[in-house]
Amino acid sequence: MSANQVFERGDRVGIYLQDKHSLEENVELVQYAEEQGIDEIWQAESRLARDAVSPLGAYAAVTDDIKLGTGVINNWTRNAALIAQSMSTLEELAGPDRIMCGIGAWWDPLAEKVGIDRSGALRAMRECVEVTQDLLDMENVTYDGEFVQMRDVELDVVHGDDGPRTVPVYVGGTGFKMLELTGHFADGALLNYLVSPEYNEKALDALETGAERGGRSLDDIDRPQLVVCSMDHDEEKALDNARELITQYLGQQPHIMKASGVSQDLIDEVGETIGGWPADKDDIKEGMHLIPDDVVHKLTASGTPEQCREKVREYAETGCQCPILYPLGDDRRLLIDEFADGYL
C-alpha cells in the first residue's frame, strides 16, 4: 500500500457521522466513542449539508488514538493536490497512523446540478487516487492524465516531519466495475451502506478480480463497510427510523438499492412519490409506507440490540472487516455501548 500504515484485521468497529446532529454533539460523541474503545470514525460528506474535512479537524483536536476517515469526499470538486494537502494537514493535527482518506465518485443529480459531468468516472477516479497516493508518499509528481494534470508538484512541508504520510486511500464505490478498479490500485475499499450481505459476496468477487489484475490478493485490500444501524429496545420504532432513511435513498440514490436486488417497481414507486433530490420531508413521510419490513431487514441492521449485532455479524461473514455503524434513533450512545466490545 502507498502509506506506511497497516490496519489490524478482525473485530474492529467504527461509527459513521452525518449531519442530523450538531457538530458540538458529534465532537462529544467522538470523545465518548474513543473512551469506550471504538476504533474508527468516518465523517460523511453527503448532499450539501456538511463537508467531511472540517469536522475531522475538530475530532482530531480532542482525541488521542481513534482513527478518523473521510466517508467520503469526491474526486470532482477537489483537485488531487488539494486532497493530499488536506490529508497531510489532518495528519499534522492528529498524528501518524490516524487519518484515512475515503474518496467517492459523487452522484447525480447533485453533481449535474452544480455543473459536474461525471462521464469517465472510472478513469477520473483512478487518476485522482494514483496522484493522491504519490503526493502523500512525498513524491514529486508529473502526471498527464485525461482528468488530472500535474507538473513538478509535491507537498511543501514547512513544519514537522517531511517524510511519507501514513494516510491510506480508500475508494467508496458501489458498482462492480468501480470495485474492480479499487482492488487493482487503492489501499482499501469503503463498502457502501443500504446494501445486503448477499451484495457483499459479489463485491468481494469484483475486488479480488481487480486485485489479481494488479498482482495483489484480496487480503491486501482493507474493507471497512458503512452499515445503517437503527437500534432501539422497541423493535418497531427502530424499523421505522430505518424505513425513513431507506425511503429517502430509494428516491434519491436508487443505484445503491438496485445493487442489492431491490425490485425496480419499488424503486420507481418510491421515486415518483418523493420526487428526487432535494426531497421534501413530507414526501419522504408519505413514501415510508411503501417500504416493507423485509426490505428494512435486508438492507440495514435494525431492531433490538441483539438483532443489530446478529445482522452486523452477517456483514462480517461476507467480507466486511470493520463495520462502520451509522447510528439512527435518539440514543447513539446505546449503540456505542452495545458494540464497544465488538460484535463477534
Side-chain angles (χ1 to χ4, degrees):
M1 59 199 295
S2 68
N4 297 325
Q5 183 165 2
V6 177
F7 284 93
E8 295 181 4
R9 309 297 169 89
D11 200 8
R12 295 154 46 201
V13 177
I15 299 295
Y16 181 62
L17 296 178
Q18 280 223 8
D19 46 56
K20 184 176 180 180
H21 300 81
S22 71
L23 281 172
E24 182 179 4
E25 290 175 297
N26 281 356
V27 167
E28 293 173 355
L29 192 76
V30 170
Q31 291 176 297
Y32 182 75
E34 181 173 64
E35 291 168 3
Q36 299 304 112
I38 296 296
D39 301 283
E40 302 177 7
I41 298 292
W42 291 77
Q43 173 64 49
E45 184 170 281
S46 60
R47 310 185 316 283
L48 292 179
R50 185 176 288 162
D51 85 292
V53 175
S54 303
L56 290 183
Y59 307 156
V62 297
T63 57
D64 297 313
D65 300 306
I66 198 166
K67 296 183 185 297
L68 305 168
T70 55
V72 291
I73 56 177
N74 74 81
N75 62 303
W76 297 102
T77 60
R78 287 184 176 89
N79 181 280
L82 175 60
I83 293 175
Q85 181 186 32
S86 296
M87 296 304 112
S88 178
T89 303
L90 285 172
E91 178 167 301
E92 181 181 0
L93 181 61
D97 298 316
R98 292 187 63 196
I99 300 302
M100 303 169 290
C101 177
I103 304 175
W106 224 17
W107 52 279
D108 287 315
L110 176 54
E112 180 269 330
K113 287 189 174 186
V114 299
I116 300 295
D117 177 3
R118 296 172 62 250
S119 300
L122 293 173
R123 177 176 291 277
M125 178 63 72
R126 174 163 189 161
E127 292 180 5
C128 176
V129 172
E130 285 182 336
V131 170
T132 300
Q133 289 173 323
D134 288 346
L135 289 170
L136 288 170
D137 277 345
M138 304 306 288
E139 296 181 11
N140 183 284
V141 177
T142 294
Y143 193 97
D144 185 20
E146 181 179 346
F147 296 91
V148 178
Q149 293 85 39
M150 298 277 167
R151 183 172 60 83
D152 191 26
V153 175
E154 60 187 52
L155 291 180
D156 184 8
V157 177
V158 178
H159 298 285
D161 182 9
D162 61 358
R165 281 11 195 174
T166 59
V167 180
V169 180
Y170 293 72
V171 172
T174 305
F176 299 123
K177 289 184 178 180
M178 184 65 78
L179 289 171
E180 280 190 30
L181 193 67
T182 301
H184 190 182
F185 70 95
D187 299 318
L190 180 59
L191 298 172
N192 216 342
Y193 59 8
L194 295 177
V195 297
S196 65
E198 292 76 19
Y199 160 88
N200 277 12
E201 296 173 357
K202 298 177 183 177
L204 257 63
D205 287 342
L207 285 170
E208 187 168 31
T209 297
E212 291 174 353
R213 189 178 303 136
R216 305 194 297 171
S217 74
L218 187 62
D219 289 339
D220 294 320
I221 305 161
D222 191 41
R223 302 186 302 275
Q225 180 167 23
L226 307 178
V227 178
V228 171
C229 189
S230 181
M231 180 185 291
D232 199 285
H233 293 296
D234 181 338
E235 179 183 355
E236 192 55 41
K237 183 178 179 181
L239 291 176
D240 279 343
N241 283 334
R243 201 183 323 271
E244 181 176 3
L245 184 72
I246 289 172
T247 304
Q248 177 181 342
Y249 273 78
L250 269 175
Q252 296 182 159
Q253 298 190 53
H255 66 284
I256 298 176
M257 282 35 168
K258 191 172 183 179
S260 286
V262 174
S263 75
Q264 189 63 50
D265 288 343
L266 178 59
I267 291 173
D268 292 342
E269 189 174 8
V270 173
E272 291 172 6
T273 300
I274 76 169
W277 183 88
D280 183 270
K281 292 181 180 179
D282 291 336
D283 291 337
I284 292 175
K285 293 290 185 184
E286 182 180 343
M288 284 176 59
H289 76 276
L290 300 171
I291 311 299
D293 285 356
D294 65 318
V295 171
V296 178
H297 283 300
K298 179 185 182 72
L299 303 178
T300 71
S302 296
T304 65
E306 183 49 46
Q307 287 175 309
C308 291
R309 292 170 70 93
E310 177 59 33
K311 185 67 175 186
V312 169
R313 283 192 286 269
E314 290 184 31
Y315 285 105
E317 290 166 359
T318 53
C320 163
Q321 293 180 313
C322 178
I324 309 299
L325 305 174
Y326 177 9
L328 301 182
D330 299 325
D331 191 353
R332 297 189 292 172
R333 293 195 177 203
L334 170 65
L335 183 146
I336 289 174
D337 293 341
E338 287 292 334
F339 281 93
D341 295 326
Y343 55 92
L344 298 178

